Amino acid sequence: MDFECFLDFVLALENKDTPEGLTYLFRCLDLNGRKFLTTADIHTLFRDVHQKWIEGGNYELCIEDVRDEIWDMVKPEDPLQITLADLLKCKQGGTVASMLIDVRGFWAHDNRENLLQEEEEPEEE
């Protein structure tokens, strides 16, 4: 990967909630170049995140439950595959991409209610 490609990748990660960033990341996630992701693809992509999750001392989780949660978030047109259009339409594509490529992204999703609660609590003086 040359420097320009590296910059494109970093920009996509930092802007994963934009159509351009998500489009770039989807091309990375689409390991087979089919223009869609299957449940097997989600399992493959999440396997390393799951391993890091466990190594970090977090609770055991079922990859199939995460896969089902992703399907519920995206609500794809075709129930057997997720396309870029599905990710863009659901408005949670950046979150899904983060869950699949980064243990910190999965942690943020898993702890979203706690994080929201912390943001809402007034600061003590």
Side-chain angles (χ1 to χ4, degrees):
M1 177 183 284
D2 65 17
F3 187 67
E4 187 175 329
C5 290
F6 173 74
L7 286 179
D8 289 343
F9 181 72
V10 170
L11 285 171
L13 285 176
E14 291 178 354
N15 297 286
K16 61 188 168 295
D17 292 318
T18 67
E20 297 82 8
L22 190 55
T23 299
Y24 183 97
L25 292 175
F26 186 81
R27 288 195 314 258
C28 296
L29 296 172
D30 183 11
L31 301 174
N32 297 309
R34 297 176 302 202
K35 301 195 185 325
F36 62 85
L37 303 175
T38 65
T39 56
D41 296 327
I42 300 298
H43 190 276
T44 299
L45 291 163
F46 191 71
R47 188 174 41 217
D48 289 331
V49 172
H50 179 257
Q51 182 65 35
K52 291 289 184 192
W53 177 262
I54 299 304
E55 289 172 5
N58 296 294
Y59 64 89
E60 180 62 49
L61 52 87
C62 176
I63 293 177
E64 288 76 18
D65 290 344
V66 174
R67 179 201 61 210
D68 291 346
E69 184 169 355
I70 288 171
W71 239 257
D72 290 343
M73 291 167 65
V74 176
K75 296 175 182 51
E77 292 285 325
D78 181 333
L80 300 177
Q81 60 190 30
I82 293 175
T83 65
L84 174 60
D86 294 326
L87 287 175
L88 292 168
K89 182 179 174 186
C90 78
K91 304 291 188 210
Q92 297 185 72
T95 300
V96 171
S98 291
M99 292 170 65
L100 294 174
I101 62 176
D102 181 19
V103 71
R104 291 173 296 192
F106 178 74
W107 182 90
H109 173 73
D110 192 56
N111 289 282
R112 63 196 175 280
E113 284 132 10
N114 294 338
L115 294 172
L116 284 174
Q117 187 176 21
E118 287 176 13
E119 288 176 6
E120 293 174 358
E121 291 177 0
E123 290 185 28
E124 295 182 20
E125 295 181 22

